Amino acid sequence: MIEIAALIAIAAIAVSIGLNVYRLAKGPDVLDRVLALDTMVINAIALVVMIGVWYATDVYFEAALLVAMVGFLSTVAFCKFVLRGNVIE
């Protein structure tokens, strides 16, 4: 039963990642693209966690933590670049 629920969740997350890619490509301005990228990272974290649930292993949860840290840093760097024009002062 958990495999079916995980499969449905993985399909829904994959569809949402596809919609994020569309917004990333067609976003009207830079802020929409930054938000699309941040949402895509959150969906990628959810996808990694769901794959971990599907395979019943703990390795994917550690990978999800790493993806979360990289996603946070990339969002902060993009926002800083949009506001100031440079990332490193």
Side-chain angles (χ1 to χ4, degrees), residues 44 49 56 69-70:
V49 169
M69 287 191 295
V70 171

Side-chain angles (χ1 to χ4, degrees), residues 35-81:
L35 284 174
L37 185 66
D38 190 40
T39 307
M40 192 165 46
V41 168
I42 291 170
N43 287 329
I45 294 166
L47 187 64
V48 170
V49 169
M50 288 311 300
I51 290 173
V53 168
W54 190 355
Y55 287 125
T57 181
D58 293 337
V59 175
Y60 290 99
F61 296 112
E62 295 173 4
L65 285 174
L66 291 175
V67 171
M69 287 191 295
V70 171
F72 174 73
L73 290 177
S74 67
T75 302
V76 169
F78 273 128
C79 290
K80 198 170 181 181
F81 180 76

Side-chain angles (χ1 to χ4, degrees), residues 19-39:
L19 293 172
N20 287 329
V21 169
Y22 174 75
R23 178 54 60 192
L24 191 63
K26 294 283 186 177
D29 58 0
V30 176
L31 294 177
D32 288 331
R33 291 184 173 135
V34 170
L35 284 174
L37 185 66
D38 190 40
T39 307

Side-chain angles (χ1 to χ4, degrees), residues 10-20:
I10 288 171
I13 293 168
V15 169
S16 67
I17 286 176
L19 293 172
N20 287 329

